[in-house]
Amino acid sequence: MLVDTYGRVATDLRVSLTDRCNLRCTYCMPEEGLQWLAKPDLLTDDEIVRLVDIAVRLLGVEEVRFTGGEPLLRPGLVGIVERVAALRPRPRMSLTTNGIGLRRTASALKAAGLDRVNVSLDTLRADVFKTLTRRDRHQDVLDGLRAAHDAGLTPVKVNTVLMPGLNEDEAPDLLAWAVAHDYELRFIEQMPLDAQHGWKRDRMVTAGDILASLRTRFELTPEGADDRGSAPAERWLVDGGPHRVGVIASVTRPFCAACDRTRLTADGQIRTCLFAREETDLRGALRSGAPDEEIARRWRLAMWGKKAGAGLDDPAFIQPDRPMSAIGG
């Protein structure tokens, strides 16, 4: 098992397949992009599958989420999914994507064994999308969402970040749209993971702001703690159900005490937290010929040292050196 000194057990593995992205979201990276990892620094398809196999066979991981950057930019994605689906025990598999390439890949990913997707979409307005992402690809995302739903990659979850002065007024419209299309909407508080280090706590749209806005149009009934488990999103029934809306309040309502996640970066580093400043190198161990048991031992040791929380409420909080695109959302 991957257990830490606070008794938390990591059963959910987030795997970043690439640091590259085809959007330039203002809360993630600068318009000119970033200095991408060199190809030799990236884990190969074989290395990714081997590490996932070690995680599920020796360390008790039950769920794998493929992330990026933008994971649909990984040429071998479908093959990786197919090979992970063949592992025993077979983990549940999901994908977090911006949705741009999903229309052409949804059916193949489902056939390969992917269970569901999370798609990032922050606005229903094409002009606002272009401002937020610096790309005119709004319709591509809508088409990708529809393709994922039609392919059976359900429940299709939509991740939304509200930004002051841009889309903070859209929460009720986004929820009405999600209910109409049978998507599960989840609002995510903006987090300090932008490459520009421009995040300001006093300027973010909080969970409280989001819920107040939604309640101007909908009746929200909270799910109980037992229903939430270790999930990062607090969820509410919308107008009595069956549709739900979630809020991931990493900043104002941290859920670190129930965290069950471990993270593998695209260049083979283990991170115990999205906001961690320390990493454990598994790529070097792989390439030096270490056996599976040794890699598992290093992974366990890394998780044993996991901190109690992310520290976002600490005035001395220091933002991680690597932006979200490099470590997986």
Side-chain angles (χ1 to χ4, degrees):
M1 292 195 305
L2 290 170
V3 62
D4 64 32
T5 55
Y6 299 92
R8 296 169 297 192
V9 179
T11 58
D12 184 333
L13 170 61
R14 308 294 170 96
V15 181
S16 175
L17 298 179
T18 179
D19 60 330
R20 296 174 184 265
C21 189
N22 42 12
L23 296 180
R24 296 292 182 270
C25 296
T26 56
Y27 52 77
C28 184
M29 69 172 72
E31 186 170 5
E32 65 273 15
L34 300 168
Q35 183 174 350
W36 310 121
L37 292 166
K39 187 173 181 179
D41 293 335
L42 293 171
L43 292 175
T44 66
D45 293 0
D46 288 344
E47 289 170 337
I48 289 170
V49 174
R50 182 181 171 196
L51 287 173
V52 174
D53 175 55
I54 291 170
V56 300
R57 182 168 46 84
L58 300 179
L59 298 173
V61 164
E62 299 171 353
E63 182 164 352
V64 176
R65 172 86 59 85
F66 296 111
T67 70
E70 173 44 52
L72 294 181
L73 295 179
R74 178 86 185 201
L77 172 61
V78 172
I80 291 171
V81 170
E82 187 172 34
R83 293 171 66 185
V84 171
L87 297 178
R88 294 296 179 267
R90 182 201 189 280
R92 298 185 298 275
M93 283 186 293
S94 58
L95 179 82
T96 295
T97 171
N98 62 31
I100 287 177
L102 202 50
R103 181 176 61 85
R104 66 177 182 274
T105 56
S107 294
L109 287 168
K110 179 64 176 179
L114 191 70
D115 295 305
R116 63 173 189 83
V117 294
N118 288 19
V119 179
S120 299
L121 180 65
D122 300 324
T123 178
L124 297 176
R125 305 193 294 250
D127 59 326
V128 176
F129 181 91
K130 188 174 181 179
T131 299
L132 278 167
T133 67
R134 305 184 180 103
R135 297 292 187 271
D136 189 11
R137 306 295 299 271
H138 189 251
Q139 189 59 50
D140 292 323
V141 180
L142 296 179
D143 292 344
L145 278 161
R146 188 177 306 111
H149 189 277
D150 291 347
L153 293 170
T154 55
V156 174
K157 296 184 179 181
V158 177
N159 294 340
T160 296
V161 177
L162 297 181
M163 302 287 289
L166 286 172
N167 62 338
E168 63 184 321
D169 61 329
E170 286 196 68
D173 289 341
L174 281 159
L175 182 53
W177 165 82
V179 168
H181 289 83
D182 195 30
Y183 305 144
E184 183 175 324
L185 181 63
R186 308 193 312 170
F187 293 97
I188 304 176
E189 287 183 337
Q190 184 193 2
M191 295 179 285
L193 290 167
D194 58 305
Q196 310 92 294
H197 290 201
W199 178 86
K200 301 293 182 185
R201 185 186 181 110
D202 59 358
R203 295 187 62 241
M204 60 175 284
V205 181
T206 68
D209 298 331
I210 294 165
L211 292 170
S213 178
L214 293 176
R215 286 182 171 126
T216 64
R217 195 183 307 181
F218 301 95
E219 178 184 346
L220 302 181
T221 306
E223 284 190 335
D226 290 342
D227 293 313
R228 181 182 183 183
S230 60
E234 293 182 76
R235 298 200 305 179
W236 288 260
L237 292 172
V238 179
D239 291 338
H243 292 95
R244 292 169 170 80
V245 63
V247 178
I248 299 177
S250 301
V251 179
T252 64
R253 303 183 186 183
F255 40 86
C256 300
C259 181
D260 66 348
R261 284 169 291 288
T262 180
R263 298 176 181 275
L264 178 65
T265 68
D267 55 348
Q269 310 301 305
I270 288 298
R271 295 178 68 94
T272 59
C273 174
L274 193 59
F275 301 100
R277 296 183 62 81
E278 303 85 19
E279 298 178 335
T280 298
D281 179 28
L282 295 188
R283 184 190 65 198
L286 281 174
R287 295 181 181 178
S288 65
D292 290 356
E293 291 75 14
E294 170 60 17
I295 292 169
R297 186 192 68 81
R298 296 188 187 197
W299 205 329
R300 288 191 194 99
L301 186 61
M303 293 305 297
W304 184 250
K306 183 172 182 174
K307 295 181 179 179
L312 296 181
D313 54 349
D314 186 342
F317 171 78
I318 300 175
Q319 182 170 327
D321 294 328
R322 296 221 259 178
M324 182 162 53
S325 62
I327 56 182

